[in-house]
Amino acid sequence: MTISDGKSDPGGDDRDSEIAKETELVFLRNRVKELEAENAELLSQVSSCQCQQMEVKHDRSVSDSSSLVRRRRVRKGDKNSIPSHLISKRYVALKIMYFGKRFYGFSAEAQMEPSIESEVFKALERTRLLVGDKKDSCYSRCGRTDKGVSSTGQVIALFLRSRLKSPPGDSKAQVNGKTGERPEYDYVRVLNRALPDDIRVIGWSPAPVDFHARFSCYAREYKYFFWRQNLNLSAMDIAGKKFIGEHDFRNFCKMDVANVHCYTRRVTFFEVSPCQNSHEGDQLCTFTMRGSAFLWHQIRCMVAVLFMIGQGVESVDVIDTLLDTKKTPRKPQYLLASEIPLVLRTCEFENVDFKCSPGAAESLRSHFKNESLTYQLESVIYQEALRNCLPLSNVSREESSCDGIEKKKKRAEHVPLLSRPTEPSYEERAAKLKPRKQETCHV
């Protein structure tokens, strides 16, 4: 400030005021920055704490408690849900048993419910073992069994929630099962408490990330059960052995020309054998077939022709004729064998060792025993109904004679396979499919 004639300079006061304001403004700006930094640090601490709490909460939800399946599912968008990329997971193969009678096949893609696949995913979601959705899980299945077909060894593979703490890309740790101090989830026990009685997981195995349930399978084995009655087992065994080797099975399947262009498959084993079960003197028997892969309805077509040979209405040599697609390019029309007795028994893989905890194994044995007893009780009811039928002596002679004539007619009406009307050949089907594809492209 300057002094002139004992009076103050008003301009100097203004400058001092401006300097004070600028100093105060700088101080306030710095303070705001400090507060923002402190706020960010506090938010980071709170977020970390919440993530740990949510992880513990989700970890507890995948437990062996009896109230597991009654827990409320976390809805999408729930603020308490944890992002899927922060959840520990591992690639797992599951071995599944199911009784297929009430299901519309294994696959849920046919949009016919119920299916085994849809029931399995309901259980995975209910137990919170599924991370994200089906598309995110890298899901694969070994086989697509048809409506009514059962299995004791179907295999699927997908990513499931895990106690594994290794990085997601560490496939060695996932396969070796290094989960730190905590044991891995008991997948068999947890899922079986959420599945219906006719579906059970019977084992699980860690799997490498390049594992595929369909393409990694090197062998599949099927069993087909039947009552011997008056069938010629020796003739059926001789005929069935002709399937062994690599053949074109287009005359023993339902052709899917749009998706399948090669119908050559390798069968490595075939056997006809009696089982331990029998009923009123009739022996239960089984066909056992093993191969690398099978076509749509291939087993049921093979069995249908074998039954004709066992009944004596077709010769053993008809197998050779039908396998020769140059000599027989078109499949004769014949009915499929029933789907109910068909069982996918095993799917075989290299370096996949399925396991099950002692507690889960004991629960499985108890469940299968109880289910078996239940079905035997149902069988007893049908046997009781059979005993209560009118005795044959009460049936009039006219009715019995008519029944006998009808049976004779049915037996006499068998048309040899090679004399029957035929389905279009593969080439004829493919030629019809090409114009349809062109029309679709133009549209």
Side-chain angles (χ1 to χ4, degrees):
M1 176 185 299
T2 58
I3 306 298
S4 176
D5 298 332
K7 296 181 180 180
S8 62
D9 184 2
D13 292 337
D14 292 339
R15 284 194 297 274
D16 289 342
S17 178
E18 290 176 1
I19 292 172
K21 289 179 180 179
E22 289 178 1
T23 302
E24 187 177 0
L25 185 60
V26 170
F27 172 78
L28 291 173
R29 285 175 178 170
N30 291 335
R31 183 57 181 159
V32 168
K33 290 180 180 180
E34 291 175 359
L35 291 172
E36 288 177 346
E38 291 178 5
N39 187 43
E41 185 177 356
L42 288 171
L43 286 173
S44 177
Q45 293 176 0
V46 171
S47 177
S48 176
C49 180
Q50 287 181 345
C51 284
Q52 291 177 2
Q53 290 177 353
M54 284 188 289
E55 184 175 359
V56 170
K57 183 177 180 180
H58 280 253
D59 192 47
R60 287 175 180 171
S61 69
V62 184
S63 64
D64 291 342
S65 65
S66 60
S67 62
L68 171 69
V69 297
R70 294 193 295 270
R71 291 179 182 268
R72 180 181 62 87
R73 283 193 300 175
V74 177
R75 296 178 181 177
K76 291 183 179 180
D78 192 335
K79 63 181 180 181
N80 291 326
S81 63
I82 186 170
S84 60
H85 67 279
L86 297 178
I87 300 174
S88 296
K89 57 185 178 180
R90 73 188 309 178
Y91 203 51
V92 169
L94 299 175
K95 181 181 282 190
I96 301 174
M97 171 273 167
Y98 50 87
F99 189 73
K101 185 175 181 179
R102 76 178 182 93
F103 296 104
Y104 287 92
F106 183 84
S107 174
E109 295 172 0
Q111 297 180 348
M112 296 288 286
E113 294 296 333
S115 67
I116 295 98
E117 197 171 66
S118 62
E119 293 294 333
V120 170
F121 271 90
K122 286 177 185 176
L124 289 169
E125 292 173 357
R126 197 174 299 139
T127 56
R128 301 185 186 181
L129 286 172
L130 185 65
V131 181
D133 56 20
K134 185 177 178 179
K135 294 180 180 178
D136 300 327
S137 65
C138 296
Y139 171 74
S140 62
R141 59 178 173 246
C142 186
R144 286 182 60 175
T145 53
D146 296 325
K147 175 185 176 182
V149 178
S150 302
S151 175
T152 58
Q154 174 72 278
V155 174
I156 65 172
L158 73 170
F159 276 102
L160 294 182
R161 186 187 300 272
S162 171
R163 288 196 173 114
L164 194 70
K165 294 304 178 186
S166 62
D170 190 354
S171 59
K172 291 184 179 179
Q174 291 183 9
V175 174
N176 295 332
K178 297 177 180 178
T179 59
E181 297 180 357
R182 296 184 299 171
E184 184 55 281
Y185 295 125
D186 192 343
Y187 294 115
V188 175
R189 191 180 186 93
V190 172
L191 282 169
N192 284 342
R193 285 179 170 172
L195 284 167
D197 289 339
D198 45 7
I199 304 177
R200 279 295 179 269
V201 176
I202 59 178
W204 76 277
S205 172
V209 291
D210 60 347
F211 177 83
H212 193 283
R214 178 184 175 190
F215 300 116
S216 299
C217 179
Y218 68 85
R220 297 165 173 85
E221 182 176 294
Y222 283 87
K223 279 183 174 290
Y224 192 98
F225 296 92
F226 63 95
W227 294 105
R228 180 171 183 173
Q229 297 178 335
N230 295 321
L231 295 172
N232 186 337
L233 295 187
S234 177
M236 291 193 294
D237 187 59
I238 294 171
K241 292 289 196 292
K242 294 178 179 290
F243 290 126
I244 296 176
E246 192 171 87
H247 303 284
D248 189 324
F249 284 94
R250 66 182 65 190
N251 288 329
F252 291 93
C253 72
K254 184 174 181 179
M255 279 193 280
D256 181 11
V257 179
N259 299 306
V260 180
H261 307 292
C262 177
Y263 292 86
T264 300
R265 296 294 184 271
R266 177 178 291 276
V267 175
T268 58
F269 180 82
F270 179 90
E271 183 182 63
V272 182
S273 58
C275 300
Q276 295 179 351
N277 307 66
S278 62
H279 177 67
E280 294 184 355
D282 198 358
Q283 182 72 45
L284 185 67
C285 300
T286 179
F287 296 119
T288 302
M289 288 159 275
R290 188 183 301 124
S292 55
F294 291 90
L295 296 162
W296 190 12
H297 289 171
Q298 181 180 340
I299 302 291
R300 293 168 63 189
C301 285
M302 292 164 62
V303 170
V305 177
L306 288 174
F307 280 160
M308 296 179 198
I309 294 170
Q311 292 165 0
V313 295
E314 293 288 346
S315 71
V316 171
D317 296 332
V318 76
I319 302 294
D320 295 317
T321 305
L322 293 175
L323 289 175
D324 186 351
T325 55
K326 291 183 178 179
K327 185 177 180 180
T328 314
R330 297 179 182 84
K331 175 189 172 185
Q333 295 178 0
Y334 57 88
L335 296 176
L336 290 171
S338 172
E339 70 278 7
I340 298 299
L342 180 59
V343 180
L344 172 58
R345 183 176 174 272
T346 60
C347 303
E348 299 175 13
F349 304 86
E350 292 181 354
N351 303 321
V352 176
D353 184 20
F354 290 98
K355 53 189 176 181
C356 179
S357 70
E362 185 60 33
S363 296
L364 279 170
R365 291 189 189 96
S366 176
H367 175 77
F368 290 148
K369 182 178 179 180
N370 291 335
E371 289 296 301
S372 177
L373 291 173
T374 299
Y375 280 104
Q376 288 182 47
L377 287 174
E378 292 180 3
S379 174
V380 169
I381 295 172
Y382 281 105
Q383 292 176 30
E384 188 65 23
L386 186 61
R387 294 189 190 96
N388 289 336
C389 285
L390 289 174
L392 292 177
S393 58
N394 291 3
V395 179
S396 65
R397 293 182 179 179
E398 293 182 1
E399 290 177 349
S400 60
S401 61
C402 289
D403 290 341
I405 293 171
E406 288 180 3
K407 288 180 180 178
K408 289 180 181 179
K409 284 183 177 180
K410 286 180 180 178
R411 290 180 182 178
E413 284 176 357
H414 176 80
V415 178
L417 280 173
L418 301 180
S419 301
R420 296 185 182 189
T422 58
E423 299 177 2
S425 66
Y426 169 79
E427 291 75 16
E428 292 169 343
R429 293 173 187 267
K432 289 182 179 179
L433 192 63
K434 286 181 180 179
R436 293 180 184 176
K437 287 185 176 180
Q438 293 176 355
E439 289 176 6
T440 304
C441 293
H442 288 311
V443 172

